[in-house]
Amino acid sequence: MPGIGTAVNVATVLVGAILGRLLGNRLPVRTRDLVTDALGLVTLLIAGTSAMAVLDSDLSARVGDSAPMLIVLGSLVLGGIVGSLLRLEVRVESVGGWLQRRLAGETGSVERHRFIEGFVVSSLLFCTGPLTILGSLNDGLGNGADQLFLKSTLDGFAAIAFAASFGWGVAASAITVVVVQGGLTLVGVLLGDVLPDAQLAAITATGGLLLVGVALRLLRIREIPVADLLPALLIAPTLVALVAALH
């Protein structure tokens, strides 16, 4: 049944957020920061693994050996331009702020920042990985939700760690999961077939670099506006098609 994978994913995020929130109240700040650092390192590992899809043989065969890196670069640059003009990062943060006021009421600036940061970072982590795209599409195509079940397990543990540090903003990210994965599942139902392997590899590699940006935020190295780069996920397969036509 299409959509079951997203439903399970939302449930694990909510349960994980509740457990993390309950646990977080009993942990000192230093411990919560350490948990966030550990999650940032794991996110960096996942990101690196995904980014290696730029070396995929199907992608190289389709566009040539030297083009994949340029495609990913072009996707990020063009996606960043589009996203910044659309002010996606600001809009995502505004949604987080609106949800914080609706769900948690008026709080201090520090607590408000933690809610918004938890919502933004969790939404990006839960919705930009390759399992989100491929799993949701396959679920919509009726090929089963095994990939989303795997993602749900990973997201559940991540939600525990995030909520211990950021609070209820992580639970609010379940709304983003419903919108993004639900929309991709619907696209899968309408498409009737998955994307070609070459285009999927380009999306995976680009998504991996977006996750690097998420990891840098978690590690407090640099506040990269990852939401502004999200259009790159749509531009990547388009560039593959264009370069393949010229190759």
Side-chain angles (χ1 to χ4, degrees):
M1 177 181 177
I4 185 65
T6 296
V8 171
N9 203 166
V10 169
T12 58
V13 167
L14 291 175
V15 170
I18 293 172
L19 292 175
R21 185 57 176 162
L22 295 175
L23 180 63
N25 291 332
R26 294 173 171 82
L27 295 176
V29 175
R30 181 177 179 279
T31 302
R32 279 182 280 167
D33 288 343
L34 185 61
V35 169
T36 303
D37 290 340
L39 190 56
L41 292 174
V42 173
T43 302
L44 195 58
L45 175 62
I46 296 172
T49 303
S50 300
M52 289 300 292
V54 74
L55 303 177
D56 184 82
S57 58
D58 291 315
L59 179 59
S60 298
R62 188 79 182 273
V63 300
D65 293 333
S66 60
M69 291 287 186
L70 295 177
I71 288 175
V72 173
L73 173 61
S75 299
L76 289 173
V77 171
L78 294 176
I81 293 173
V82 173
S84 62
L85 291 177
L86 293 177
R87 297 171 61 84
L88 293 183
E89 182 81 11
V90 173
R91 294 178 190 276
V92 171
E93 290 182 351
S94 297
V95 171
W98 180 82
L99 287 172
Q100 188 273 337
R101 292 191 296 272
R102 297 286 294 179
L103 299 177
E106 294 295 335
T107 57
S109 59
V110 174
E111 196 65 26
R112 175 182 170 84
H113 175 74
R114 286 180 67 236
F115 185 100
I116 294 175
E117 185 70 4
F119 171 75
V120 172
V121 172
S122 299
S123 296
L124 291 171
L125 180 64
F126 296 156
C127 297
T128 60
L131 284 177
T132 298
I133 300 169
L134 183 57
S136 298
L137 287 174
N138 278 329
D139 190 17
L141 291 166
N143 295 332
D146 292 346
Q147 291 169 322
L148 286 185
F149 291 153
L150 171 61
K151 177 180 178 295
S152 299
T153 303
L154 297 173
D155 287 354
F157 283 111
I160 294 175
F162 273 140
S165 298
F166 296 118
W168 291 116
V170 179
S173 69
I175 298 174
T176 311
V177 174
V178 171
V179 174
V180 174
Q181 289 189 186
L184 287 172
T185 299
L186 180 60
V187 169
V189 172
L190 297 176
L191 281 179
D193 197 3
V194 294
L195 289 171
D197 290 339
Q199 291 176 310
L200 185 58
I203 293 174
T204 301
T206 304
L209 290 182
L210 296 187
L211 287 179
V212 171
V214 174
L216 293 179
R217 292 181 67 150
L218 290 173
L219 295 171
R220 296 177 293 279
I221 295 175
R222 181 176 174 83
E223 291 287 322
I224 295 178
V226 180
D228 283 344
L229 295 171
L230 288 177
L233 295 175
L234 298 177
I235 294 174
T238 304
L239 289 182
V240 171
L242 290 175
V243 174
L246 298 174
H247 180 58

